[in-house]
Amino acid sequence: MSIYKLVYGIPDVDSEAVVNKRIAVELECSDEGLYKIENIFEDIEFFSEDGFLVLKRRVSEGLVYGFGDKVGALNKRGKRYTFWNTDNYTHHPGTDPLYKSFPFYIFIDSNGIKHGVFTDYPGYLEIDLDSEGNGEFTFKIKGRGFVQYVITGKSIKEIVSSYVKLTGKNTAFPIWAFGYQQSRWSYFSQKEVLEIAKKFRSRQIPCDVIWLDIDYMDSYKVFTWNPKTFSSPEKMVGKLHKMGFKISAIIDPGVKVEKGYEVFESGKNKYFLKDNSGKDFEGAVWPGRVRFPDFRERKVRKWWGRYVNEFSKIGIDGFWNDMNEISVFATEKELEEIRNLFKNSTLEEGVNLAIKAGTVGEIGRRGRGEDIVHLDGEPHYKVRNVYGFNMNRAAFEGIKSNKRKFLITRSAYSGIQRYGGVWTGDNHSWWEHIFLEMIRLSSLSLSGVFYSGCDVGGFGGDVNAELLIRFMQFGSFIPMFRNHSAIGTRNQEPWAFGKKYEDILKKVIQNRYTLIPYIYTEYMRGILKNVPLLVPLFYHFEKDKLTYNIEDEFMLGSSLLIAPVYRPGQYYRVVYLPKRALELNNNKFFSKGWHCIDAPLEIIPYFQIDGTIVPRWKAMNYLFEKEPEFVNATVVAYSGKAAGYFYEDDGITKEYKKGKYNLYKIFYKDGDIYVKALKEAIPHKSRRWIFKVFTKNNVETLEKII
Ligand code: GLC
C-alpha cells in the first residue's frame, strides 16, 4: 500500500480535507505536471485554457466507484461530473452537480488491480471519467493548481481505509443515532411535536429522535424560537427527554438582516462573506435578506460555535446543517436580470422567492461564484465546496460536551466524516429514489462517510402506502433511519395510512431495533478499523466479479445482505448471493448464485451470510428504555462453523477513543459456542444469550451466559 501526492500547477488553496499529510509520498513529476504511476495510469497532457487548468490522463479498461452521493449508476465510468455544491430540489438520476463534493474514486482494472484517486480541490472542478469512450480521464479546475493523492493497495478495503487515514477518522455517533427518527417540514408547534411524540409511545412504535425543521424559529432567524408556537422550548425538550426522545434541530447558515437581531449585529461587517465591492454579500433564503458567515475563518467558526453551544444548552441533542452549499434563492443582481419574471419581488420576500426557486435557483446554480469574496480575499469559486464542511465543523468544534456529537450536513466535502455525517438532500417519494439512494449511500461509504441517510419515505411529492412501506423497509437497513417529508406533501408518519399499514411499519421498525446490537457492533468496529457500515457487495466479496455490477443490493456490516423491493406491485425479488446465506424471513438457506425470493408487501428480503453470527435483542420503544434481558443470536453455520462479534461501550461518550469498550468474538464449532474476549476494558454485565443455530440439516437452540 502506498499513497502518492501529485502536485499540478501551483495549488494556492488548502481544502483542509487531508489531516495526515505525512503518510503521502510526494512524487517528482517526470515532465511539466505529468506523472506515470506503477503502470496504472499515465498523464498525457496538462495545459491551461480560458482560466481553467486541464489534465488528461490515459487509463485502461476498468470500473470506477465512489464520488460520494452523486446520482447515476454505481459504476461512475462513462460520464463527466461537476463538483460544485448545489441545492437541487428536484434531482433525478441525471442531475449533476448536487449538494456535496467527494472527488475520490476507486479504479479497478480488468485484472482486478486497484487504486484510489483523490483530487483535492475545493473550488470548481470537473472530472470526466471517459465520457468519450477513448480511454481518457480529464480533470479540470478553475484555479491555479491542485493536489492529487493516488492510493495503491491490494484490496478495496485497504484503499478505503488509507483514504480515511488521509482525510481523518469518522467521529462516532451515539448509539441512539441508530434508532428510528421522525421528521417533517415542519411540526409547526411544540404542541404538535409533543403530540407526535405521544403517538409513538401510545402506539408503541419505537422512535428515538424527533426533528425540528425551520418553523421552530422566529421568522427563520437562526438560534431563535418562535415565541408563539414554541413559547417554552425548554419545557418541551424536558418532556421529550422524559419520554425517551432525543431532539435534533435544523440550522441554516443565512443570518437574517434585521436591526437589533443579535446574531446579525455581532456578525455584520466582520464575519460575513463579501461581494466584489467589499460590502457584506446578501442573498435571499427563508428569512428574506440574509448574510452568510465565512466558516473557513477560524474566528468565524468560533463565533458561530458559541451560538450553537449556547442554543444546545436547553437540551438539544443534535443539529442538521442545511442550505449550506450555499443555497441562495436569488441575489439582488439576479433579481434585476429577471425582474420581469418575478414582478416586483424583493430579497425580503425570501420564502416567496423560494417557492418560485425552480427558476431563480437555476440562475444561482450556473454562476461560478465570481460575485462572492471570502474574508481572506479568495474568490468563492475556489473554495465553495468546503462551505458546508466548515459550517458543520464550526458546530462540531463549538459544542462543549464530552458526549459524542450528533451532527449531519447536507453539503459536504471529503473529510466531513471527522465532524459528522450526511443526508442526501431533497429526494422524492418516487420508486426510482429507493434505487437511487441504495447507490448513493453505498458510494458515500466508499468515500469515507460511515453515518449517512436519506429522507426515508421521500421528501418531495406525496407518498402512497405501498411506497412508504418499501421505502421504510429499505430505510430500516441504512445507518440513519429517518423519515422526513416536505411542506405541502401528505403526512408519512408510520400511522399515516391506517391500521393495516401501521402494523406492517411497526414491525419494520421493531425489526430494526432487534438488530441494534449487531448494527452498533459493526458500526463501532468499523469506526475503529476504518470499515464502512453500509457497503456495496463487492466491498466484502471483491474476488467475485459478478458483484461489481450489483447496484440494487447492499451489505449492512459484513454479515447481512439486503435486497430491497423498489418497484410497485412486486412481490418477489431476483437476488444475487455471493455466498450461501440464510434468508431471514423464512429461515431458508440459498446457495451462491441467482434466486427469485418471495417478497410480499410486509417483507424485505434480507440474508445472513453463511459462517456468521448476528446478535439481536428484543425491540424496545427507544434505546436505554430498559436493559435487555437476553441476547438472541442467529448462528448461520451450514457447514458447522460460524463466528461473530459483540461490541459494547457506554454508547454516548468519547471514552471509546481511550479504549474503554469490550469486544467479544463468538465462535460456533463442534456443536458448541465459544467466546473470546478480544478486549474487556469496562465492566461487563453478564447476559443470557440464546443462540439459534442453523446448520445444513438442523436447527437447534443453545444457551450460554456471556
Ligand atoms: C431543505 C432541506 C429539507 C428541509 C427544508 C426546510 O429543503 O433539504 O430537509 O426540510 O429545507 O428547512
Side-chain angles (χ1 to χ4, degrees), residues 271-320:
Y271 298 143
F272 296 133
L273 297 173
K274 302 280 177 202
D275 63 20
N276 279 321
S277 71
K279 289 212 290 266
D280 284 359
F281 168 81
E282 283 186 3
V285 196
W286 312 121
R289 273 175 68 199
V290 295
R291 301 188 189 176
F292 302 93
D294 185 356
F295 295 113
R296 276 178 68 243
E297 296 284 324
R298 213 175 126 79
K299 59 176 190 256
V300 179
R301 289 201 298 275
K302 274 195 144 173
W303 163 76
W304 186 263
R306 271 198 297 273
Y307 280 111
V308 180
N309 189 45
E310 253 333 285
F311 198 66
S312 71
K313 279 190 179 156
I314 63 160
I316 304 291
D317 304 277
F319 293 99
W320 43 321

Side-chain angles (χ1 to χ4, degrees), residues 185 213-214 250 286 320 322-323 410 423 426 455 459 484:
W185 173 20
D213 208 326
I214 45 175
I250 200 164
W286 312 121
W320 43 321
D322 192 23
M323 307 299 276
R410 189 172 75 175
W423 91 104
D426 298 342
D455 290 350
F459 177 73
H484 180 54

Side-chain angles (χ1 to χ4, degrees), residues 163-202:
Y163 168 76
V164 173
K165 280 183 196 144
L166 192 68
T167 57
K169 273 189 109 52
N170 276 255
T171 178
F173 275 69
I175 189 168
W176 50 262
F178 294 91
Y180 176 68
Q181 313 186 24
Q182 186 63 52
S183 181
R184 179 162 175 86
W185 173 20
S186 287
Y187 295 126
F188 282 97
S189 64
Q190 60 190 47
K191 190 162 162 265
E192 197 182 343
V193 173
L194 288 166
E195 271 161 17
I196 291 286
K198 280 185 205 141
K199 276 196 187 152
F200 274 101
R201 293 298 180 250
S202 68

Side-chain angles (χ1 to χ4, degrees), residues 130-146:
D130 196 21
S131 67
E132 294 294 321
N134 58 0
E136 276 178 23
F137 284 8
T138 305
F139 306 84
K140 180 171 172 183
I141 65 154
K142 187 159 197 239
R144 297 180 64 204
F146 61 95

Side-chain angles (χ1 to χ4, degrees), residues 610-623:
D610 188 28
T612 64
I613 299 179
V614 167
R616 294 174 172 249
W617 58 40
K618 252 175 96 176
M620 37 190 111
N621 288 316
Y622 55 93
L623 287 154

